[in-house]
Amino acid sequence: MSEPVTLPLHMRRDGFDPVPEVAALREGEGVAKVPMLFGMEAWLVTRYADVRAVLGDHVRFTNTRQARFRPPGMPEMTEEEIARLQAGNLLVLDPPEHTRLRRFLTPEFTMHRMRALEPRVRAIVAGRLDALERTGPPADLVTGFALPVPSLVICELLGVPEGDRDEFQRRTGRMLDLAVPIEERVALQREGHAYMTDLIARTRAEPGEDLLGMLVREHGDELTTDELVGVGNFLLIAGHETTANMLSLGTLALLRHPDQMESLRREPGRADAAVEELLRWLSVVHFGTAKVTTTDVEVAGRRIPEGELVIVALSAANRDPVLGEDADRLDLGRDGPGHVAFGHGVHHCLGAPLARMELRIAFPALLSRFPALKEAGAGAGFRSSHFVYGLNSLPVTW
């Protein structure tokens, strides 16, 4: 059962937009100490340049001390269990450990590897569109297209059996929902860790041609089982949840901006630029990884003491006026500086090339298959309490 939750400022949205208070902070002080969840507080950084500066400085803003901020009600864990659950998770590591692990994974996300994967991604997208067409309208684009496409892609990439995918989607969806009691979310985290531990054991016994099989064959002596489990869980969750919500929320953004949708339909070759603008404008990941200051620092003229929690508001930074005229407006023809939807610095999203490819293929394919696509029924249901912003449902017809 879910329960009401008061969202922190950086997670509050008004439809597609951050709430006005976030823009006011960005245009005012730029950084302020604000309430977070569970009675905690953190320094919220909102300006584009400051966000990049924080994300680009892993020495003064570390990812490795997050565990000391334990929310009330969180089940007790031993130091050993915390270490086991964090092993292999790139989001809670800094160099040199982060560099060591990322070195094993980077070759699988190069442009060369993406080109090799592209035919399979196109086939998965076409297969889901075929299924929608067979079933006929009305349909929920979230369950019929946005969720299954990236789930199929990342599960095939990792070697997750097809029969396990529905359960993985259910577990991930609730684990990242802040409205779900923290005891249940921790239990789901442990359940996911146990599942991946079993999958890694099977992969060690019989490595396949998938990414996990490659890691076992080529780096099995350099990676512990806990690290392999952590890497697998990290990629499975990150590679599914973000792209799925970009697909659903991005489609809704296009439907509600018909001039932009028509421009993409007319010029599918501009899909790369369109995807970048949708990533910037939507910022489905609310914030970069939580940071802890390792020394006294100054951000936007404010002194932040050592040992303080720092959060960067990606949605605010991506709407900063420095990114171009009328940054609050969706403009698929925009040609501005790079956004921070995938983060910045050493923790820049490893799977960004895969996400970009999936979106570049999926949006034009969807618009081409269903030229009369439009919202239907009660309309879209925004999903506000999740770590990744998106939609619970998107009823459509054509």
Side-chain angles (χ1 to χ4, degrees):
M1 172 182 265
S2 298
E3 55 190 29
V5 58
T6 301
L7 295 176
L9 184 59
H10 64 280
M11 291 182 64
R12 297 178 201 163
R13 303 284 183 112
D14 180 10
F16 300 114
D17 305 322
V19 293
E21 293 86 346
V22 174
L25 175 57
R26 185 188 62 223
E27 302 311 311
E29 293 180 287
V31 59
K33 198 165 192 178
V34 298
M36 292 287 140
L37 293 165
F38 314 113
M40 300 166 66
E41 287 188 322
W43 294 88
L44 185 62
V45 180
T46 58
R47 292 177 187 155
Y48 178 77
D50 295 328
V51 165
R52 281 173 57 90
V54 170
L55 293 177
D57 186 350
H58 67 269
V59 175
R60 297 190 305 157
F61 300 92
T62 180
N63 281 19
T64 63
R65 302 185 187 178
Q66 301 170 34
R68 71 169 62 175
F69 294 90
R70 292 176 58 79
M74 185 172 182
E76 286 298 321
M77 292 187 189
T78 64
E79 292 297 323
E80 182 183 0
E81 183 178 11
I82 292 172
R84 192 168 65 250
L85 290 175
Q86 290 186 339
N89 183 350
L90 296 178
L91 295 181
V92 297
L93 297 173
D94 284 330
E97 276 303 293
H98 178 274
T99 307
R100 181 181 72 87
L101 286 176
R102 188 156 176 144
R103 172 171 59 86
F104 301 137
L105 297 169
T106 298
E108 293 302 305
F109 293 93
T110 60
M111 293 310 298
H112 174 74
R113 177 70 170 136
M114 292 305 102
R115 282 192 289 271
L117 282 174
E118 185 165 330
R120 182 56 189 146
V121 173
R122 289 190 180 279
I124 287 172
V125 168
R128 294 313 307 171
L129 293 175
D130 290 344
L132 281 174
E133 199 164 26
R134 282 195 303 270
T135 305
D140 180 1
L141 205 71
V142 170
T143 57
F145 186 69
L147 277 175
V149 165
S151 176
L152 286 167
V153 171
I154 196 64
C155 287
E156 284 194 12
L157 184 66
L158 291 176
V160 173
E162 185 171 353
D164 296 347
R165 292 170 189 173
D166 287 346
E167 181 61 17
F168 149 69
Q169 282 187 356
R170 179 202 67 81
R171 184 167 57 240
T172 302
R174 289 192 65 77
M175 192 170 71
L176 297 180
D177 186 354
L178 293 172
V180 172
I182 193 167
E183 297 86 356
E184 181 182 343
R185 287 192 284 120
V186 170
L188 289 168
Q189 183 185 14
R190 287 168 169 158
E191 186 181 310
H193 191 275
Y195 169 78
M196 188 58 67
T197 300
D198 179 66
L199 182 60
I200 293 297
R202 285 181 275 152
T203 302
R204 279 197 184 277
E206 192 175 344
E209 296 304 312
D210 50 75
L211 192 150
L212 293 180
M214 178 278 295
L215 287 175
V216 166
R217 280 196 312 274
E218 299 183 13
H219 307 291
D221 294 336
E222 302 169 83
L223 292 164
T224 68
T225 294
D226 283 338
E227 286 176 331
L228 284 166
V229 169
V231 165
N233 268 329
F234 165 71
L235 293 175
L236 191 60
I237 295 170
H240 157 75
E241 194 71 19
T242 50
T243 307
N245 285 289
M246 269 301 304
L247 280 174
S248 58
L249 202 60
T251 300
L252 181 62
L254 293 172
L255 290 172
R256 294 190 178 179
H257 295 80
D259 58 327
Q260 302 293 309
M261 181 171 66
E262 188 55 34
S263 72
L264 179 56
R265 183 179 278 120
R266 284 195 317 267
E267 299 182 79
R270 289 188 51 80
D272 284 331
V275 164
E276 296 307 310
E277 174 66 353
L278 287 166
L279 285 163
R280 178 198 72 83
W281 195 69
L282 295 170
S283 298
V284 296
V285 178
H286 296 288
F287 59 101
T289 49
K291 308 287 186 180
V292 179
T293 53
T294 61
T295 185
D296 291 0
V297 297
E298 186 174 295
V299 179
R302 295 294 301 274
R303 176 184 169 277
I304 302 177
E306 177 185 356
E308 295 278 287
L309 195 63
V310 176
I311 299 291
V312 295
L314 299 182
S315 61
N318 278 334
R319 299 289 189 94
D320 194 313
V322 302
L323 291 180
E325 185 179 351
D326 197 6
D328 282 321
R329 178 172 56 88
L330 177 67
D331 178 5
L332 300 190
R334 191 184 299 276
D335 184 21
H339 56 73
V340 288
F342 287 122
H344 176 68
V346 298
H347 293 99
H348 182 273
C349 177
L350 174 72
L354 178 60
R356 284 183 163 115
M357 178 178 66
E358 291 179 73
L359 297 171
R360 170 175 54 82
I361 291 170
F363 284 129
L366 174 66
L367 298 181
S368 174
R369 181 71 69 95
F370 303 117
L373 189 71
K374 61 183 178 180
E375 289 184 76
F382 287 92
R383 196 181 75 169
S384 59
S385 63
H386 281 239
F387 279 103
V388 180
Y389 191 55
L391 301 174
N392 285 315
S393 60
L394 177 52
V396 294
T397 188
W398 54 86

